[in-house]
Amino acid sequence: MTDKPIDWTPDLSLPTSKSTVQHFIANAGGDRLEIDTTPWGEADLTVNGQSIAHIATAPSAGDAFRVLETIAEDLEAGKDSRLDQVIEDDEVRQRLGLPRS
């Protein structure tokens, strides 16, 4: 992870409630990072307009956000082995400590 955490800013132009998509934006290392989360635990990470990771099975929006935040921090720290790699549900389950279905 990076020495300084990425500073995520919520998109306040979207309505906020427990039933809406939340959009977060950050700029780090010259990249524009975006995370979109849903209340049911689905989320997407985009870097400079390119989709990097998708989570479909997290227990909550917060859990999905934290996994994608870690991936973003790893990318910005130079660990770009995940670039152009599809994040499989099994990997997400393992990161969240969930059993296989």
Side-chain angles (χ1 to χ4, degrees), residues 57 59 89-101:
T57 59
D89 285 348
D90 287 342
E91 182 178 343
V92 172
R93 284 189 192 96
Q94 182 181 10
R95 281 182 164 260
L96 294 172
L98 301 173
R100 285 186 101 186
S101 305

Side-chain angles (χ1 to χ4, degrees), residues 8 10-11 14-15 17-25 34-46 53-56 58 60-69:
W8 293 97
D11 183 349
L14 296 175
S17 77
K18 291 184 178 184
S19 63
T20 60
V21 173
Q22 293 185 336
H23 183 77
F24 299 89
I25 302 166
E34 299 177 52
I35 294 179
D36 292 311
T37 63
T38 64
W40 52 90
E42 191 171 349
D44 292 290
L45 169 64
T46 305
H54 173 78
I55 295 176
S60 70
D63 290 322
F65 178 88
R66 285 186 287 280
V67 170
L68 293 181
E69 180 181 38

Side-chain angles (χ1 to χ4, degrees), residues 44-86:
D44 292 290
L45 169 64
T46 305
V47 178
N48 298 326
Q50 179 182 3
S51 180
I52 299 298
H54 173 78
I55 295 176
T57 59
S60 70
D63 290 322
F65 178 88
R66 285 186 287 280
V67 170
L68 293 181
E69 180 181 38
T70 300
I71 292 169
E73 288 173 352
D74 288 348
L75 286 171
E76 290 305 315
K79 298 175 186 172
D80 58 357
S81 62
R82 294 185 183 274
L83 199 58
D84 296 327
Q85 176 185 354
V86 175

Side-chain angles (χ1 to χ4, degrees), residues 5-17:
I6 297 172
D7 184 25
W8 293 97
T9 305
D11 183 349
L12 300 176
S13 68
L14 296 175
T16 57
S17 77

